[in-house]
Amino acid sequence: MQHTLPKFGFRLLAQDGAARRGEIVTPRGTIRTPAFMPVGTTATVKALYTDQVKAAGADIILGNTYHLMLRPGAERVARLGGLHSFMRWDGPILTDSGGFQVMSLATIRKVTEAGVEFASHIDGSRHMLSPERSIEVQCLLGADIQMQFDECIELPAERNEVERAMQLSLRWADRSKAAFEKARDEGLAGAGQALFAIVQGGTDYGLRRASAEALVAMDFPGYAVGGLAVGEGHDLMLRTLEATLPFLPEGKPRYLMGVGTPLDLIEAVSRGVDMFDCVMPTRNGRHGLAFTWNGRVNLRNARHAEDLSPLDPESSCPAARDYSRAYLHHLVKSGEYLGAMLISWANTCFYQELMQAMRDAIAEGRFKEWAEATKARLNETPSAGSL
Amino acid sequence: MQHTLPKFGFRLLAQDGAARRGEIVTPRGTIRTPAFMPVGTTATVKALYTDQVKAAGADIILGNTYHLMLRPGAERVARLGGLHSFMRWDGPILTDSGGFQVMSLATIRKVTEAGVEFASHIDGSRHMLSPERSIEVQCLLGADIQMQFDECIELPAERNEVERAMQLSLRWADRSKAAFEKARDEGLAGAGQALFAIVQGGTDYGLRRASAEALVAMDFPGYAVGGLAVGEGHDLMLRTLEATLPFLPEGKPRYLMGVGTPLDLIEAVSRGVDMFDCVMPTRNGRHGLAFTWNGRVNLRNARHAEDLSPLDPESSCPAARDYSRAYLHHLVKSGEYLGAMLISWANTCFYQELMQAMRDAIAEGRFKEWAEATKARLNETPSAGSL
């Protein structure tokens, strides 16, 4: 007998210019797109209760394969019933493949055709990630949406090095797909609903197109753009996106990985991106930087020391609405947990409010005007990254 | 026209052996005694929202004069509307006098008849605390219950040094009382509802009695026992308490400062103590030690790594009831904020549940049996302190 749960699916509900309003249906719930996924690195969205993440409006969160396979370990998470019940998040979870963090965090790495051997940044223990092992880990975690294993190289790099890594990632995409479908066809507990491919190719438009076309030929249910927001700058990121998106199918979700600032999100949505993830709201929250509808507020700044106004009196988020900037300033300066808790919460709410505003603007056919007005109001500089 | 708010008052509702069930009435709410006051050191009960502290059952919290006068500064807190609105706690607040922490934290100290000159542990800036300045700070903070300024010496110490400090503290009690009453009589904004005296005298029973009798002659609305739980050990602390409490009036609340473990609380309540404060639930929470009805649980221990049971399935606290020990273990091992948040929350709830259970047992005349059964269940060793 078949389960009656809805299968994975994506449908476009509205389009406004290149911006898209849609929804991804999964057995664990519907994801309204454009969507921002809070990052639950090590089975926790840092300094937040999952109830707060859900109430903020997040339909899906992201988990990190690299972190979770090292601690507490993927087999352990599986024995404990999977990542959802472990961390008390009953909505959909997307896991990355570990490809990015094995390059940015692991201390020793050796890349071969088979995969990547590396040493843990926690205790130096040796591990292997390959397309097959990455999918195995993601199934052990029980991720609803899984990502192909890819090689992420540091930029800038020579064109032939970028091409080599992109071609390797294509072969790994094929192997990831085979492993994913095998797990699903065998009815493995924790098998995912959908595997997304990752377009690579650095900032070389020709390589991006080649990567996209090859992946589309393999027919994935969703496509990510990887290897961006790694220091190439806002403008080059957007141009590379413009050179890539036309080669991805209209009817599949498009996910820009690891992005970004509020300005990045608006610009990427205006170009047709549907999904994002980024540590920015929570990492900046831990360092005293708040995102608001009137721009960034650095709560470390002494000018907030006696400011009784809240971050945003009209916010639906208690952290942004009910606490004075003076109090937040004090908490940040004192290194108190509650400072990180409140500002991470406020930022997580702001990011979800931003996505909701974009979804509404697209549905109502006024995205361009909304984007112009909002960019002026946020007053973000294109180069602004983290603190 | 007079405010119709209730004035400060204490009444005994029940007595069972020496254990007392009572209530302290203040304009900001009634405090059910025996009461445990969570410590909100620097205007935050660490890693908790005030809503959680209130829902846990706490009627009153404690703020630290020493910390708050240094950061954000008492005058600043007053300009911002007082400590209650600053930290969003609308119930009663008790502030200590700074006497203990100026001795345990400040880097340089000079004690004279006038007061204590000291250097801040934060930035080395120079400050002065005297009976008058301590009361001024406590009024600027807007504390409902204030404490006399006292000299806390390190133990063990020679008897004549203990006596000198005790006698000085008596003179400071008198000056504290004059300053407190002046503020109240002048209708100063932030003037307190009650000033408590602090019995000193180390572990010398004669000095304790002399201190108590002298303070009682001054007629304070409440009496604290200070200078205990500073390394003298559980048994000597209880014997000193037994040698002190008979010299305090029946009709005034009795507060044992800085105490303690669950066992300390049970033993002190059985001897007639009404109020406590201690950082133990939150400090231990940040280090992975949980207090439960079945004893302490060190969540760093590897035996919890795959334990799906919660800390206490029957707890009314979500942190103790809804998360597996395996997850808490993972969070603690990973140094995640959420680990500190959840275990501090669970401990704060446990301490309040413990006080409620004591209040119920006293009211129902079964405190002795309850205490024996609970001590057996908690299985605390008398010498157990922090982690």
Side-chain angles (χ1 to χ4, degrees), chain B residues 76-213:
Chain B
R76 173 165 287 168
V77 171
R79 284 193 297 273
L80 293 168
L83 186 56
H84 294 81
S85 72
F86 185 59
M87 69 180 292
R88 294 180 51 77
W89 173 265
D90 60 9
I93 295 177
L94 179 148
T95 44
D96 63 10
S97 66
F100 177 73
Q101 284 169 326
V102 80
M103 298 309 281
S104 58
L105 291 177
T107 51
I108 305 170
R109 296 175 287 273
K110 189 182 162 201
V111 181
T112 65
E113 185 68 27
V116 185
E117 289 178 68
F118 66 95
S120 159
H121 73 290
I122 299 169
D123 60 6
S125 58
R126 307 300 288 244
H127 300 266
M128 168 78 177
L129 264 177
S130 63
E132 294 75 19
R133 176 59 180 159
S134 174
I135 297 299
E136 183 181 24
V137 167
Q138 295 181 72
C139 291
L140 286 164
L141 297 173
D144 303 275
I145 301 178
Q146 304 185 3
M147 300 302 298
Q148 73 150 98
F149 190 58
D150 59 344
E151 186 190 1
C152 301
I153 58 170
E154 280 182 52
L155 294 181
E158 295 293 322
R159 185 182 188 281
N160 59 359
E161 169 64 3
V162 176
E163 180 167 17
R164 184 203 55 74
M166 182 273 277
Q167 294 288 355
L168 178 60
S169 294
L170 289 180
R171 296 191 295 280
W172 285 358
D174 197 51
R175 284 167 55 193
S176 297
K177 189 163 187 279
F180 177 87
E181 289 173 355
K182 181 163 180 284
R184 194 182 53 189
D185 295 346
E186 291 176 355
L188 189 77
Q193 299 299 319
L195 177 72
F196 284 18
I198 304 175
V199 179
Q200 289 289 0
T203 53
D204 185 299
Y205 304 159
L207 295 180
R208 284 282 171 183
R209 175 175 179 169
S211 174
E213 289 179 337

Side-chain angles (χ1 to χ4, degrees), chain A residues 305-383:
Chain A
E306 300 202 0
D307 186 347
L308 280 171
S309 66
L311 282 171
D312 182 353
E314 290 168 28
S315 174
S316 62
C317 177
R321 185 191 60 208
D322 298 340
Y323 298 81
S324 69
R325 294 176 189 219
Y327 185 55
L328 298 174
H329 170 79
H330 165 66
L331 294 174
V332 169
K333 293 289 282 185
S334 302
E336 284 290 347
Y337 279 74
L338 189 58
M341 290 159 64
L342 287 171
I343 306 172
S344 298
W345 187 13
N347 287 350
T348 295
C349 289
F350 171 76
Y351 265 65
Q352 294 301 328
E353 288 174 10
L354 183 68
M355 302 315 292
Q356 183 61 51
M358 287 201 265
R359 291 192 296 262
D360 290 345
I362 297 166
E364 294 163 15
R366 54 179 175 78
F367 183 78
K368 193 171 177 218
E369 304 86 299
W370 176 91
E372 289 310 313
T374 303
K375 285 192 284 183
R377 185 175 176 189
L378 296 181
N379 196 29
E380 294 255 308
T381 52
S383 59

Side-chain angles (χ1 to χ4, degrees), chain A residues 169-225:
Chain A
S169 295
L170 288 180
R171 297 191 294 279
W172 285 358
D174 197 51
R175 284 167 54 192
S176 297
K177 190 163 186 279
F180 177 87
E181 289 173 355
K182 182 161 179 285
R184 194 182 54 189
D185 295 346
E186 291 175 355
L188 190 77
Q193 299 300 318
L195 177 72
F196 284 16
I198 304 175
V199 178
Q200 290 288 0
T203 53
D204 186 298
Y205 305 159
L207 294 180
R208 284 280 171 184
R209 174 176 180 169
S211 174
E213 289 179 337
L215 292 169
V216 171
M218 294 184 211
D219 191 21
F220 284 85
Y223 295 89
V225 180

Side-chain angles (χ1 to χ4, degrees), chain A residues 49 51 88, chain B residues 310 312 315-323 342 345-346 349:
Chain A
Y49 297 98
D51 291 349
R88 293 179 52 75
Chain B
D312 181 353
S315 174
S316 62
C317 176
R321 186 190 61 207
D322 297 340
Y323 297 82
L342 288 171
W345 188 13
C349 289

Side-chain angles (χ1 to χ4, degrees), chain A residues 42-44 46-47 49 52 71-72 76 79 86 88 286 306 322-323 327 330 333-334 336-337 340-341, chain B residues 42-43 46-47 49 52 71-72 76 79 86 88 305-306 322-323 327 330 333-334 336-337 340-341:
Chain A
T42 59
T44 163
K46 286 183 192 292
Y49 297 98
Q52 295 172 317
R71 192 167 58 193
R76 172 165 287 168
R79 283 193 298 273
F86 185 58
R88 293 179 52 75
R286 295 196 301 284
E306 300 202 0
D322 298 340
Y323 298 81
Y327 185 55
H330 165 66
K333 293 289 282 185
S334 302
E336 284 290 347
Y337 279 74
M341 290 159 64
Chain B
T42 59
K46 288 184 191 291
Y49 297 98
Q52 294 173 317
R71 192 167 57 193
R76 173 165 287 168
R79 284 193 297 273
F86 185 59
R88 294 180 51 77
E306 299 202 0
D322 297 340
Y323 297 82
Y327 184 56
H330 165 66
K333 293 289 281 185
S334 303
E336 284 290 346
Y337 278 74
M341 291 160 64

Side-chain angles (χ1 to χ4, degrees), chain A residues 17-35:
Chain A
R20 298 137 57 96
R21 166 81 178 91
E23 59 184 29
I24 299 171
V25 176
T26 83
R28 281 202 175 83
T30 295
I31 303 152
R32 297 162 291 173
T33 64

